[in-house]
Amino acid sequence: MIDQTLQEIFTSGVYLMLIGLVAASLFFAMAGFSELSSRALEGLLFLALAVFFFCLHLFLLFNHPAHSEMIPGPLHWCIAILAPVLIGLYLLMGLVSFVSSHTRPGLVKIFFGLTLLCYLYMLGAGWSADTKTILTAWYGGIWFNLELRTS
């Protein structure tokens, strides 16, 4: 599971559903925190949606027949599910920001998305699961910081 390429991760429809649910969860969590920081109570609705999508992700993950082969542990979940989600969110949010006349924040987000892609799937193909998980968690924190700062 650790040495999978992006092509192997995206070939299964279950992976795409799991990745989509985590992406929706992170997006709504970021939107919720952004709204709550501006003292709007709609942020609670967004956070509730984030919890709903993440619970749906967990339900699908644990009720899949090949659960133990797909994701044997939390470190592998970070590498196989969270890392592609963060790469996609960085690139999509960067493109949206770039197109909406926020050139610098958009380029920064695109840069971080591409560097995470290169670190995990090109340069770090032989790295340990611990290293990849720490890098993914660090980039996740940077993503929340960038999104809350630029919104």
Side-chain angles (χ1 to χ4, degrees):
M1 185 67 183
I2 296 173
D3 298 327
Q4 287 183 336
T5 63
L6 283 178
Q7 181 183 3
E8 292 170 341
I9 288 174
F10 289 124
T11 54
S12 174
V14 175
Y15 275 121
L16 291 177
M17 289 176 62
L18 291 172
I19 287 172
L21 290 171
V22 172
S25 176
L26 285 177
F27 177 78
F28 282 117
M30 182 272 308
F33 289 134
S34 176
E35 290 293 319
L36 286 176
S37 69
S38 64
R39 301 198 189 274
L41 289 179
E42 290 87 1
L44 294 175
L45 175 65
F46 290 138
L47 289 177
L49 284 171
V51 169
F52 169 74
F53 282 117
F54 193 74
C55 288
L56 194 59
H57 163 79
L58 291 177
F59 178 78
L60 179 64
L61 180 65
F62 289 128
N63 287 321
H64 191 272
H67 159 65
S68 59
E69 293 92 29
M70 280 179 35
I71 310 291
L75 295 180
H76 301 289
W77 179 85
C78 282
I79 296 166
I81 303 291
L82 187 60
V85 167
L86 284 175
I87 291 168
L89 286 174
Y90 267 121
L91 295 177
L92 286 175
M93 300 299 268
L95 286 173
V96 167
S97 185
F98 186 77
V99 169
S100 65
S101 300
H102 299 105
T103 307
R104 280 182 109 181
L107 288 177
V108 168
K109 292 172 192 174
I110 291 171
F111 171 77
F112 274 108
L114 292 176
T115 56
L116 182 59
L117 177 72
C118 290
Y119 281 148
L120 292 182
Y121 298 105
M122 293 177 183
L123 294 174
W127 292 352
S128 69
D130 296 336
T131 306
K132 288 182 178 182
T133 301
I134 290 169
L135 189 65
T136 302
W138 185 51
Y139 269 76
I142 291 172
W143 180 75
F144 267 101
N145 190 13
L146 281 175
E147 288 299 325
L148 290 176
R149 190 178 296 172
T150 59
S151 59

